[in-house]
Amino acid sequence: LIPTYRVQVTTLDDRGPEVEPNGDLAHANGHARDGLDVFTSGLLSSADDIDIFAVDVPPGRGVRAELIPDTESTPCEALNARLTLLDGDGIERAARVAEFDLCPYIDGTGDAPRNPEALNLTFAARTLYVAVSKGDAAMVGSLPYRVAFTVR
């Protein structure tokens, strides 16, 4: 009575930390540009800090980006950060914050993507941007994080 399913486990490649400045599309970090099962780490140093990462998505593919705490002692629901998908014009296409027991993620992969905005339906490679920013105005101090990227 239990349907079959496929589990895929992949070790992510560490592409190193973000490099400032990276608060706009022109200066977006390209550490994870290929999005091939990688992660990069970052630090929101203040409530108005924003970090932007560029990801190239081939035609017919989608990107999944997941924001996770950089420390094991921080649960996902306590991660006071926002993950945003931007197009090449800097327009917000999708955004998520932490929910109960769930880290923020944007997913344009698979047969029924949760965020179709993260799917490239054009005939050419397309660069999408993933931004990490404060979750709310109550943020105090710095917030270390990691963003995992997968293009499928």
Side-chain angles (χ1 to χ4, degrees):
L1 297 176
I2 298 174
T4 61
Y5 63 93
R6 185 177 86 175
V7 174
Q8 180 180 4
V9 178
T10 303
T11 302
L12 300 179
D13 183 31
D14 182 355
R15 295 287 175 87
E18 54 142 340
V19 177
E20 296 288 351
N22 63 345
D24 57 41
L25 298 188
H27 296 97
N29 281 175
H31 292 58
R33 193 158 202 121
D34 62 8
L36 298 176
D37 299 323
V38 300
F39 76 89
T40 186
S41 56
L43 179 74
L44 293 176
S45 58
S46 66
D48 59 350
D49 190 8
I50 183 170
D51 297 331
I52 300 178
F53 302 90
V55 182
D56 292 334
V57 182
R61 303 285 177 96
V63 63
R64 177 182 169 91
E66 184 172 1
L67 182 61
I68 54 177
D70 196 34
T71 60
E72 291 180 19
S73 61
T74 304
C76 284
E77 60 264 18
L79 186 64
N80 185 13
R82 182 175 196 254
L83 189 66
T84 306
L85 178 71
L86 305 170
D87 66 15
D89 295 322
I91 297 171
E92 181 178 308
R93 296 299 178 183
R96 307 255 347 225
V97 294
E99 299 173 15
F100 177 74
D101 207 26
L102 193 63
C103 287
Y105 71 93
I106 293 171
D107 192 357
T109 64
D111 294 335
R114 171 106 181 190
N115 302 98
E117 306 88 350
L119 180 62
N120 181 4
L121 297 176
T122 69
F123 294 108
R126 179 177 175 206
T127 302
L128 294 174
Y129 298 88
V130 174
V132 179
S133 60
K134 67 177 183 173
D136 62 41
M139 181 177 167
V140 177
S142 61
L143 176 67
Y145 66 86
R146 291 182 185 187
V147 182
F149 296 94
T150 301
V151 172
R152 296 263 187 276

